[in-house]
Amino acid sequence: MTSPAAEIVDAAAYAQAVEDAVKASAAYYAGGTSTLDDDTYDRLVRGIAVWEAEHPDQVLADSPTGKVAGGAVEGDVPHTVAMLSLDNVFSPEEFTAWTASLARRIGREVERFSVEPKLDGLAIAVRYTRGRLSRLITRGDGTAGEDVSHAIGTIEGLPQNLAEPVTVEVRGEVLMTTAQFEHANEVRTAHGGQPFANPRNAAAGTLRAKDRAYTVPMTFFGYGLLPLADTEASLAERMGELSHSDLMAQVAAYGVNTTASTDVPGVTADTAEQVLARVKEVAALRAALPFGIDGIVIKADLAADQQAAGSGSRAPRWAIAYKLPAVEKITRLLEVEWNVGRTGIIAPRGVLEPVEIDGATITYATLHNPSDITRRDLRLGDHVMVHRAGDVIPRIEAPVAHLRTGDEQPIAFPEACPRCGAGIDTGEQRWRCENGRNCHLVASLTYAAGRDQLDIEGLGHTRVVQLVEADLVADLADLFALTRDQLLGLERMGETSTDNLLAAITAAKDQPLSRVLCALGIRGTGRSMSRRIARHFATMETIRAADAETMQQVEGIGTEKAPSIVAELAELAPLIDKLVTAGVNMTEPGAVPPSPTAGDTADSESPEAAEGAVTPLAGMTVVVTGAMTGPLEKLSRNQMNELIERAGGRSSSSVSKKTTLVVAGEGAGSKRAKAETLGIRLTTPDDFATLIADFVD
Ligand code: IVH
């Protein structure tokens, strides 16, 4: 996890590094977009620190290591107590070393820590006078900041009036949630402005902007409480004695937003081990949070410990930031590809100059749809902020507009379908080839023959192209009419491969309905939804007889999906009839069709229960993660999910409070961590195999 220091070889490189860091930091604190992403900046400062440790007599006065961070903005409102920054650690070892040095300094172990997310926004001081919100001040250079009271009323989480008429200062972070950021960029570009590169820049720019024609909301989270000069003496005294966690409870009781309202509330921990366990938990939850965090802040909780530790000029000694790997990097957008999906959707995808984010090299990022490109005013050659969290597909947040050179080129939108040349239906946000799913016959046949659908071995992409180009198949059902002679007539098809392919095609006729349904490629019905539908209705006939209302009896199908599934099935009727005639199985083994009056009853979805057999996973939601071993070793994720559902359970790919059991194999990572956080039962692949032994083939 440690971010390596940038290597600085000589005094000239050192001076340059200091200059770069100062410039980037100035832009950062002035609310502009830094020329460096956070990770690069951190590495640069670490490199500077390493060089300075070796050349203590040559340290430059404006080095970012020595001063209160962010001294760029001239502020006119003095802070009562300096708004300090935080020192960083990047690994468990560095953290443990910090706790040890803190213990040495105060002459005892820290009694208790408070552990809270490091919110990725900007620090502000919020003054309340007799309970009324009176002033907002940025951090500025730490001793004085800018008055940004004009932003009062646009920051969620900061009430105009506290629950008590106290005079206090709440400190905390102003940020934009992901949704607020999207909204802000939409409004901004609609007003002809350049989009902000990321939520942090958006919050910084918005907070400082005066007299804008529009306002966009931001969010505040408090992480500190202190008295002001006018604070009643007894209250000021009490505040000086309270632990950090008690102060935070007080902030929340006043009605100000804190992280207590989120999935990653501040907690206390008695030992360094407990802190590290919490760091892991928060890191695992990071990708799913609706706002950005860039680390975890650990503070000595007790006032007495904080006082004993004291503060340096830049940062307190009683707190530290445990930085998480950066999830954002700046790279260049080289190209935009237009891919036609199975259903004819034409989707843009950004090709990037490869960039490493949290250990993975990123070359592609999603670009949702054409209007998304227009809205973000993206151009080829742009520097773009790329965001990648967890296993989610990386996304381009926005261009870094001030890095434009003028050589950037507009992104050309296709005028005809890039696959078949037909017209494009641009009526919806997502563009679609007018030929719909036929456009991509090759893609849809390859998908249908895939391992998780009809599993026709020997029918990969190349072979499908051959069949389509030779006009031997025009739809899925034609596969089942292929003759030996036709196949032998194709290039590179010998007798053995022909016989093997014919046998595989014949075997595919016996696949369960769930796989046949999945092979049809109906929008919104992937593998697990197809299984749910097949299990619920048991036969293709019942599925086809279902209207939108009946379709909604299947879990996960709501008012929006139901009519589109019903309509697509109707559209596919001739193909389904053809498949039936070809002898393709249209029933789900073991499933029982729902009785017309029964509605969404449990037994229609638990066939084994209906037959009186034991379903060991009845009522359970199971998540599989990591590598399977033992009897389950050879099973694909899809086969594992099929198995879980055969045994009466529900399979899911993400861990949530609703998960009952997590099967964690070798190499399980964040899902396992999340299960531990939520206290969800974990089991090994071997024990799981024993539990469902009756259902393993
Ligand atoms: S405590 C004196 N707590 O991180 C203690 N800061 O890198 C300083 N930050 O300037 C602040 N989340 O803007 C604290 N839970 C948290 C925080 C937090 C984010 C920011 C804050 C600070 C910066 C230091």
Side-chain angles (χ1 to χ4, degrees):
M1 225 182 220
T2 304
S3 179
E7 207 178 324
I8 294 176
V9 289
D10 56 20
Y14 167 69
Q16 184 63 51
V18 169
E19 193 186 318
D20 291 349
V22 167
K23 223 192 270 167
S25 151
Y28 185 92
Y29 285 102
T33 303
S34 168
T35 39
L36 304 177
D37 51 53
D38 287 358
D39 194 44
T40 315
Y41 179 79
D42 279 344
R43 279 194 293 120
L44 192 63
V45 174
R46 285 163 78 75
I48 290 171
V50 169
W51 197 87
E52 289 175 350
E54 286 162 11
H55 307 86
D57 50 331
Q58 295 177 45
V59 174
L60 290 171
D62 57 349
S63 163
T65 57
K67 59 176 186 167
V68 175
V73 177
E74 285 292 302
D76 49 10
V77 186
H79 289 299
T80 42
V81 176
M83 284 186 86
L84 298 181
S85 183
L86 290 169
D87 287 329
N88 296 327
V89 291
F90 293 85
S91 66
E93 295 72 34
E94 287 182 18
F95 173 70
T96 316
W98 174 77
T99 57
S101 78
L102 183 53
R104 271 199 306 280
R105 176 174 287 275
I106 66 174
R108 59 175 183 266
E109 292 294 326
V110 169
E111 179 152 335
R112 192 168 66 216
F113 295 99
S114 96
V115 191
E116 36 190 55
K118 185 170 189 303
L119 304 149
D120 196 7
L122 305 99
I124 56 164
V126 183
R127 294 192 182 164
Y128 280 95
T129 311
R130 288 179 298 283
R132 270 193 77 78
L133 177 49
S134 52
R135 203 160 205 195
L136 300 181
I137 310 151
T138 65
R139 180 164 70 169
D141 69 357
T143 54
E146 194 180 346
D147 189 318
V148 286
S149 303
H150 57 265
I152 290 178
T154 64
I155 307 177
E156 283 166 23
L158 275 182
Q160 295 284 350
N161 293 295
L162 295 182
E164 292 175 42
V166 286
T167 298
V168 291
E169 180 167 295
V170 181
R171 288 185 178 179
E173 204 82 345
V174 181
L175 51 74
M176 278 195 192
T177 61
T178 316
Q180 286 173 335
F181 168 63
E182 295 290 337
H183 172 70
N185 267 355
E186 255 169 58
V187 175
R188 187 169 161 85
T189 46
H191 279 81
Q194 289 293 340
F196 289 113
N198 62 13
R200 193 186 172 285
N201 289 326
T206 303
L207 188 62
R208 300 186 66 233
K210 283 189 191 142
D211 307 322
R212 263 202 201 150
Y214 54 92
T215 56
V216 286
M218 298 176 278
T219 299
F220 177 84
F221 288 100
Y223 53 62
L225 178 66
L226 47 156
L228 287 164
D230 297 343
T231 303
E232 198 197 325
S234 62
L235 174 61
E237 194 179 332
R238 203 150 26 96
M239 279 164 58
E241 289 162 2
L242 285 183
S243 67
H244 177 71
S245 47
D246 285 341
L247 285 171
M248 284 301 91
Q250 181 64 70
V251 170
Y254 284 152
V256 174
N257 190 33
T258 69
T259 57
S261 69
T262 71
D263 282 351
V264 283
V267 299
T268 58
D270 292 333
T271 63
E273 290 71 35
Q274 285 177 12
V275 171
L276 289 171
R278 179 64 183 164
V279 166
K280 260 192 168 173
E281 286 174 4
V282 175
L285 294 168
R286 182 190 196 187
L289 293 176
F291 49 83
I293 66 170
D294 58 345
I296 290 101
V297 180
I298 300 113
K299 300 169 181 170
D301 194 43
L302 299 198
D305 283 350
Q306 294 187 1
Q307 277 148 19
S311 293
S313 64
R314 199 190 95 93
R317 296 196 190 89
W318 45 264
I320 197 89
Y322 190 120
K323 293 285 281 239
L324 292 176
V327 289
E328 275 181 345
K329 284 277 180 73
I330 296 174
T331 187
R332 287 181 64 227
L333 175 64
L334 302 178
E335 225 181 293
V336 171
E337 292 178 352
W338 297 87
N339 297 315
V340 189
R342 273 184 296 120
T343 56
I345 298 281
I346 302 169
R349 177 167 86 152
V351 184
L352 306 171
E353 201 165 87
V355 60
E356 197 188 297
I357 306 183
D358 191 11
T361 304
I362 310 300
T363 339
Y364 297 105
T366 47
L367 277 171
H368 315 285
N369 52 54
S371 59
D372 192 47
I373 294 178
T374 312
R375 201 170 50 235
R376 291 160 194 251
D377 184 27
L378 274 172
R379 301 180 201 167
L380 292 183
D382 256 339
H383 284 85
V384 289
M385 190 65 86
V386 180
H387 182 103
R388 171 187 177 261
D391 296 331
V392 183
I393 301 172
R395 62 168 194 266
I396 292 177
E397 292 220 293
V400 185
H402 77 278
L403 291 179
R404 284 209 167 130
T405 60
D407 290 339
E408 293 77 15
Q409 298 300 317
I411 294 169
F413 289 3
E415 282 168 12
C417 169
R419 177 166 173 85
C420 70
I424 299 177
D425 176 359
T426 58
E428 309 255 335
Q429 280 228 327
R430 303 207 295 169
W431 289 9
R432 196 170 180 211
C433 169
E434 278 175 353
N435 276 334
R437 66 186 62 247
N438 272 347
C439 164
H440 225 162
L441 185 57
V442 170
S444 55
L445 288 182
T446 313
Y447 175 77
R451 188 155 95 119
D452 296 334
Q453 287 71 243
L454 296 180
D455 194 17
I456 306 178
E457 220 183 296
L459 195 53
H461 178 81
T462 330
R463 190 113 299 149
V464 172
V465 171
Q466 270 186 306
L467 293 173
V468 171
E469 284 182 355
D471 274 341
L472 292 179
V473 289
D475 64 27
L476 181 58
D478 287 344
L479 284 179
F480 299 98
L482 285 170
T483 66
R484 197 162 186 274
D485 285 345
Q486 284 174 331
L487 290 177
L488 279 172
L490 296 175
E491 252 175 71
R492 297 181 307 281
M493 275 303 268
E495 304 233 337
T496 316
S497 20
T498 298
D499 290 339
N500 286 346
L501 182 54
L502 282 173
I505 292 174
T506 307
K509 292 185 192 174
D510 296 331
Q511 288 288 6
L513 173 63
S514 51
R515 282 171 170 253
V516 177
L517 194 60
C518 189
L520 291 174
I522 297 166
R523 261 172 299 171
T525 63
R527 291 167 303 196
S528 85
M529 182 55 80
S530 299
R531 283 197 295 274
R532 253 183 265 162
I533 298 174
R535 249 167 244 281
H536 182 88
F537 291 107
T539 71
M540 183 61 99
E541 228 178 310
T542 2
I543 297 179
R544 293 169 83 178
D547 57 13
E549 202 182 316
T550 319
M551 194 56 78
Q552 281 177 55
Q553 289 170 0
V554 179
E555 209 201 308
I557 299 185
T559 46
E560 225 172 289
K561 237 183 201 179
S564 92
I565 295 177
V566 171
E568 275 206 56
L569 277 163
E571 209 181 283
L572 290 166
L575 175 62
I576 298 172
D577 289 341
K578 217 168 145 186
L579 289 167
V580 172
T581 313
V584 175
N585 167 57
M586 292 287 167
T587 59
E588 187 67 1
V592 180
S595 61
T597 49
D600 190 17
T601 55
D603 41 352
S604 67
E605 292 199 54
S606 301
E608 284 79 7
E611 287 162 16
V614 190
T615 49
L617 303 181
M620 292 171 75
T621 300
V622 185
V623 173
V624 178
T625 178
M628 293 298 102
T629 43
L632 307 177
E633 188 180 348
K634 295 229 156 45
L635 298 193
S636 67
R637 220 27 125 234
N638 186 54
Q639 287 171 319
M640 280 298 292
N641 292 341
E642 287 179 333
L643 179 60
I644 289 164
E645 288 167 26
R646 272 208 304 280
R650 169 135 25 99
S651 66
S652 167
S653 59
S654 60
V655 177
S656 73
K657 281 186 208 133
K658 289 191 197 141
T659 312
T660 351
L661 179 68
V662 173
V663 186
E666 191 93 8
S670 60
K671 288 183 193 174
R672 180 196 195 106
K674 187 159 178 198
E676 281 168 356
T677 313
L678 298 174
I680 289 161
R681 199 176 128 204
L682 283 154
T683 186
T684 62
D686 286 354
D687 288 348
F688 186 65
T690 315
L691 177 67
I692 51 159
D694 289 348
F695 295 82
V696 180
D697 291 332

